Amino acid sequence: MEEINVEEIMKDIRDDIRVKGYTEDMLSFKDVECVKDGVYEYDQEDYKQLLSDMEKRKTIPWYCELGQNGIRKFIKKFIRKSVGFLIAPITDGQNGFNSMVTDGFEQLAGFIENQKEELEKNRRYIIMLEEKIEEMQQEIETLKKK
Amino acid sequence: MRIIQLLPSIAYGDAVSNDAMALQEALQRKGYETATYAENIDIRLSEKIAKKINKMPRLEKEDVIIYHMSTGTELNYRLAEYDARKVVIYHNVTPEHFFEGYSKRLQELCVAGIEGMRYLADKVDYCMADSEYNRQDLLKAGYGCKIDILPILIPFSDYKKEPESSIIRRYGNDGYTNILFTGRIAPNKKQEDIISAFYMYQKYYNPKSRLFLVGSYKGMQVYYQRLKRYVKELGVKNVFFSGRVKFEEILAYYSIADLFLCMSEHEGFCVPLVEAMCFDVPIVAYNSSAVGDTLGGAGILLENKNYLETAGMIEYIVKNEEIKERVIKGQRKRLQYFKHDRIEKLFLEYMNQFL
């Protein structure tokens, strides 16, 4: 195999870094706090992905596809038909529950969005009030001087 | 005589499981009576591929168990009790210190894995290790039996499947440089170092760049969240965490990648390096554990972990067509070593010698 002289390339790279004055100043990973085990931070993108995955997987069919042919398939088909009256209502129940959970999570997503809007509205309102207070304090100061 | 493969878990997309499945096919083709048994089986896998361990038949003295060792499990101890010839394929156990502060459960699993590995040192008849690094681990643990090196058997024909077009449409050929790393989000793989090097690259060399960290973060949410915080606090743009993806999506990420960056500090083999070779994606990797063994002189192997210099190396390769071609040429040559037929033949030869 044709060897590439990495050290030689690295020497050129180091020279180039020195000439251009690049520095490795940056935030270290060690300085980033670790969240506690089991405590998750809300991340809008992750949450959207979770909702989309839940939506795709919430319905479980009561039967599974039988791949192989021949006698084994016939027997499995027979068993599937025989127990269908038991399995189908159970999966129906599970699917109903899954639907409710998914709906719940979607409602939560809506709630989070509403809360975010509400918080933003309140934040702007607080800023406006702070500005007003400052104006009024200035007016008081001027009045006091008079 | 039967040849039984034994492993704790078998699932789609996991390197050890894929290896076991590929070896099973090889044994079947050679006409051996063989089966695979596991404690946990992915529900998508049919009984033809793997059966629950409690269905394992009673073994005779002339039967052979091939045990895939990679984690802490009761199987490490149960293996010694079977009245059959025992072969270990060692995929390595991640040292527990990597998981400190992230997952107590995984830490315990790793400790148990290493203890189990040591326990079996004088109880097996033959070993195969994915890499020289793994072989050295076994020797250090006191394994006195013969140990051969058998790289992971990779079914390259699967990589010819159609990649997910939506990813290619979204990120391919749009003037951005795409840096890729594939593999579970895990502290031993040091995704934070990839982010740091990418930050330097984006800051000094190429603002029109993206980083894709492709892999599941299941069970590693704490580390994943810390990485996300790091990205946010650094202010580095265009860092994408894919989460768990379908195989076709992995193929798409390789298709759009301009460079594969690996800063991992613990790998028993590192299948993604071979995958990158398969897709002609130039590799820049930090020399640790089995990474150097797998690259075997191909790609660019960095001896020091310096983010700025790594960024400089990324720029050097991405911008320099001549060196890029040389790297790819070297990788293509190295890929021949991992050819499915070659590794399969090697495995069957090893088995023949053992039997």
Side-chain angles (χ1 to χ4, degrees), chain A residues 1-2 4 6 9, chain B residues 259 277 280-284 295 297-301 313 316-317 320-334:
Chain A
M1 198 179 301
E2 190 193 1
I4 294 167
V6 178
I9 298 172
Chain B
L259 187 131
M277 290 178 200
D280 277 347
V281 181
I283 299 165
V284 172
L295 284 179
I300 299 287
L301 198 60
M313 185 57 92
Y316 188 84
I317 291 167
N320 189 334
E321 275 303 319
E322 189 250 327
I323 192 86
K324 192 170 157 184
E325 275 310 308
R326 277 174 64 198
V327 171
I328 291 171
K329 206 173 141 194
Q331 291 180 181
R332 281 185 190 153
K333 206 165 178 188
R334 178 62 179 161

Side-chain angles (χ1 to χ4, degrees), chain A residues 103-118:
Chain A
D103 288 349
F105 270 80
E106 272 164 9
Q107 279 188 30
L108 269 179
F111 176 73
I112 291 167
E113 283 311 303
N114 289 342
Q115 287 296 303
K116 270 170 78 180
E117 278 170 28
E118 199 65 30

Side-chain angles (χ1 to χ4, degrees), chain B residues 176-335:
Chain B
Y176 274 77
T177 299
N178 295 321
I179 311 296
L180 173 71
F181 177 74
T182 59
R184 281 176 304 108
I185 300 290
N188 58 303
K189 295 188 186 283
K190 290 281 163 190
Q191 273 95 350
E192 67 267 35
D193 293 339
I194 300 176
I195 294 167
S196 301
F198 177 71
Y199 169 77
M200 288 287 153
Y201 176 65
Q202 196 173 68
K203 183 179 173 186
Y204 290 124
Y205 296 102
N206 186 1
K208 267 186 100 177
S209 50
R210 298 188 190 99
L211 172 65
F212 294 100
L213 295 168
V214 176
S216 165
Y217 47 83
K218 197 180 162 201
M220 269 297 118
Q221 279 88 344
V222 178
Y223 177 58
Y224 166 66
Q225 298 228 340
R226 193 176 181 194
L227 288 175
K228 291 203 74 161
R229 256 192 199 182
Y230 187 44
V231 168
K232 203 172 161 188
E233 288 180 24
L234 265 180
V236 55
K237 302 272 179 286
N238 299 331
V239 177
F240 300 94
F241 292 87
S242 72
R244 190 179 163 183
V245 288
K246 291 185 289 181
F247 186 65
E248 290 77 6
E249 291 174 285
I250 298 178
L251 302 183
Y253 283 112
Y254 278 114
S255 308
I256 58 154
D258 294 290
L259 187 131
F260 187 89
L261 179 62
C262 174
M263 302 292 265
S264 179
E265 288 186 8
H266 189 268
E267 297 289 340
F269 179 78
C270 199
V271 172
L273 292 174
V274 185
E275 290 176 337
M277 290 178 200
C278 184
F279 280 87
D280 277 347
V281 181
I283 299 165
V284 172
Y286 171 63
N287 190 9
S288 81
S289 50
V291 171
D293 296 340
T294 302
L295 284 179
I300 299 287
L301 198 60
L302 304 175
E303 294 301 329
N304 301 310
K305 208 173 239 190
N306 179 305
Y307 308 129
L308 189 48
E309 288 173 12
T310 306
M313 185 57 92
I314 297 173
E315 173 73 353
Y316 188 84
I317 291 167
V318 169
K319 287 279 158 69
N320 189 334
E321 275 303 319
E322 189 250 327
I323 192 86
K324 192 170 157 184
E325 275 310 308
R326 277 174 64 198
V327 171
I328 291 171
K329 206 173 141 194
Q331 291 180 181
R332 281 185 190 153
K333 206 165 178 188
R334 178 62 179 161
L335 192 62

